[in-house]
């Protein structure tokens, strides 16, 4: 078992370092790295995923390479945006964290497209808007930038608000927290409020559990 403290390149939600526990099993290394604010019940899924990786049945890989998106945190200047995007050579899609200051969010999107107008944009709100704010902001974004958005990730937390939003905005909606914060709930309603499901293997307890969620 090795515990590491890794400094982050940017300040993400007031986090400037990540503490990671690594442990070795017959399959190789497993990782346990939940965020500090997670309670034990939520962090347990992260531990289970690491145990599965190190000690579970080996997973049959379907491909050797996948495309990734660049991730752009809440940085302000064009120079900061350019530097961060340079870390992702070849990426065709950028996920931009929004939901704080609207004018800064708009500037971040403008700066991204000024650097590469061919990029597709994913906006990640992390459930930070209510329905009224989401409607106003997304219509504003669409009028300013047009069809550059691949999807909007978790604009609202409430399923009822997401259903209404999906009817009213021209962008596609993705859900993340609606799945990983409620892993054992019935997810049958999500098809009525979202076009994409973001399913991450670590917060859902491992590859096997993630595949089970996918099949639901």
């Amino acid at each position: 078992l090795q515990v590491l403290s890794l400094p982050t390149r940017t300040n993400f939600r007031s986090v400037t370092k990540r503490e990671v526990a690594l442990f070795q099993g017959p399959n190789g290394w497993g990782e346990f790295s939940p965020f500090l604010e997670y309670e034990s019940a939520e962090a347990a899924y992260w531990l289970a995923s690491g145990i599965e990786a190190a000690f579970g049945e080996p997973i049959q890989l379907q491909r050797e390479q996948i495309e990734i998106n660049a991730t752009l945190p809440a940085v302000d200047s064009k120079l900061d945006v350019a530097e961060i995007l340079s870390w992702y050579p070849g990426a065709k899609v950028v996920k931009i964290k929004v939901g704080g200051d609207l004018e800064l969010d708009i500037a971040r999107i403008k700066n991204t497209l000024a650097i590469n107008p061919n990029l597709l944009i994913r906006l990640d709100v992390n459930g930070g808007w209510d329905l009224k704010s989401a409607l106003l902001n997304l219509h504003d974004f669409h009028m300013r930038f047009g069809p550059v958005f691949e999807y909007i990730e978790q604009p609202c937390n409430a399923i009822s608000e997401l259903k209404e939003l999906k009817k009213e905005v021209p962008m596609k909606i993705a859900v993340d927290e609606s799945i990983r914060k409620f892993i054992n709930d019935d997810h049958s309603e999500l098809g009525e409020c979202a076009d994409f499901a973001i399913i991450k293997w670590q917060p859902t307890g491992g590859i096997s559990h993630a595949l089970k969620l996918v099949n639901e």
Side-chain angles (χ1 to χ4, degrees):
L1 175 69
Q2 301 288 332
V3 178
L4 308 177
S5 180
L6 304 174
T8 60
R9 284 177 160 181
T10 60
N11 185 324
F12 175 63
R13 297 192 315 206
S14 300
V15 173
T16 57
K17 64 180 181 180
R18 291 296 302 276
E19 293 182 339
V20 182
L22 301 175
F23 42 89
Q24 194 170 22
N27 298 336
W29 291 92
E31 173 186 332
F32 178 56
S33 56
F35 286 99
L36 293 176
E37 69 267 22
Y38 289 176
E39 299 292 341
S40 297
E42 186 172 6
Y45 287 101
W46 294 62
L47 180 59
S49 71
I51 292 172
E52 180 194 62
F55 299 96
E57 290 293 325
I59 302 297
Q60 181 65 44
L61 298 179
Q62 301 299 313
R63 55 187 60 83
E64 294 184 355
Q65 291 184 330
I66 60 169
E67 291 192 22
I68 64 167
N69 61 248
T71 301
L72 188 63
V75 295
D76 299 331
S77 75
K78 188 174 180 179
L79 286 175
D80 289 335
V81 172
E83 180 185 4
I84 291 172
L85 293 183
S86 73
W87 303 341
Y88 302 91
K92 301 173 184 176
V93 181
V94 180
K95 182 167 80 167
I96 302 177
K97 296 287 186 176
V98 297
D101 185 297
L102 182 61
E103 291 305 314
L104 291 178
D105 292 342
I106 291 169
R108 200 172 303 121
I109 299 169
K110 284 183 177 178
N111 288 334
T112 298
L113 294 173
I115 293 166
N116 185 349
N118 296 317
L119 288 170
L120 282 176
I121 305 294
R122 299 171 178 172
L123 297 183
D124 188 2
V125 191
N126 290 118
W129 293 333
D130 58 22
L131 178 59
K132 182 179 178 180
S133 298
L135 286 168
L136 290 172
N137 295 340
L138 292 182
H139 280 299
D140 187 3
F141 289 157
H142 182 70
M143 290 179 64
R144 288 175 184 269
F145 301 108
V148 301
F149 301 105
E150 187 174 41
Y151 59 68
I152 315 300
E153 184 176 331
Q154 202 71 47
C156 308
N157 276 324
I159 296 296
S160 58
E161 292 186 329
L162 290 172
K163 286 182 180 179
E164 291 300 313
L165 186 66
K166 189 174 184 298
K167 297 174 186 175
E168 299 294 334
V169 298
M171 297 96 140
K172 294 185 182 298
I173 304 297
V175 286
D176 175 6
E177 284 85 354
S178 292
I179 298 173
R180 64 181 176 87
K181 296 287 187 181
F182 305 96
I183 291 176
N184 295 315
D185 287 9
D186 180 6
H187 300 116
S188 58
E189 285 188 286
L190 294 183
E192 302 174 39
C193 64
D195 304 282
F196 296 98
I198 310 297
I199 298 177
K200 301 169 180 173
W201 72 273
Q202 195 174 25
T204 55
I207 296 293
S208 297
H209 201 178
L211 291 174
K212 181 182 176 182
L213 289 171
V214 169
N215 291 328
E216 288 180 356

